[in-house]
Amino acid sequence: MALRDLALQDLAFRDLALHDPALHEPTPHETPAPRETPAQDALSDAVRALTVASERPARITPSGEVRVDFEFSRYVLAREVDHEESSAADAGRPWLVRVFRAVSGRTSDIELASATAPWLVDAFDAAYTALDTPGGTDPRTV
């Protein structure tokens, strides 16, 4: 048997062993990955969604909000809000997305826009749309 054939057989067996617990012998250094709680799972999904929507890295703040930083001292904070019922049955709790401008020398930053929607990406889009609408705060002038 050729070396290539042995390697392919070994890979096929490893793949099978990973999916069949009876064939998989855990090594001493293998530990099962901890399961995320539903709240942690929602935040992990939110980080991925905002990373894709904003095309920038997102992170979870110590207060449990998802933050995305932009140029010119702008940033977005997103969090789930308590609400009796959501308009979308499978959406869960609605999301609040706020856009801020950090100002040095001030104790609080300026909120430029905010939006709430049953889906995080919809709230993100609505908050940024509010920046450009009449009556909205133009981020270049604040």
Side-chain angles (χ1 to χ4, degrees):
M1 200 178 258
L3 185 59
R4 178 182 172 276
D5 294 333
L6 286 174
L8 288 174
Q9 259 184 352
D10 185 51
L11 286 174
F13 179 76
R14 283 190 215 177
D15 186 51
L16 179 64
L18 287 175
H19 298 295
D20 186 353
L23 296 175
H24 181 65
E25 294 287 329
T27 59
H29 69 276
E30 286 182 333
T31 56
R35 294 284 304 155
E36 291 186 335
T37 66
Q40 290 171 326
D41 193 34
L43 283 176
S44 295
D45 288 346
V47 166
R48 286 188 289 277
L50 280 183
T51 297
V52 170
S54 67
E55 298 178 359
R56 303 202 181 271
R59 62 184 170 88
I60 300 171
T61 66
S63 63
E65 294 180 295
V66 180
R67 180 177 172 137
V68 180
D69 291 303
F70 292 91
E71 294 91 3
F72 307 113
S73 302
R74 306 312 193 264
Y75 63 94
V76 167
L77 289 178
R79 66 178 171 87
E80 284 185 297
V81 293
D82 292 325
H83 191 268
E84 293 297 321
E85 286 185 17
S86 175
S87 60
D90 61 342
R93 296 188 311 185
W95 285 89
L96 170 65
V97 174
R98 298 175 295 157
V99 182
F100 290 93
R101 178 175 174 256
V103 180
S104 61
R106 289 183 52 148
T107 57
S108 62
D109 298 335
I110 298 171
E111 184 174 322
L112 303 175
S114 68
T116 303
W119 298 99
L120 173 58
V121 175
D122 291 341
F124 176 77
D125 287 342
Y128 266 89
T129 300
L131 290 173
D132 293 331
T133 59
T137 306
D138 184 348
R140 296 168 293 215
T141 62
V142 177

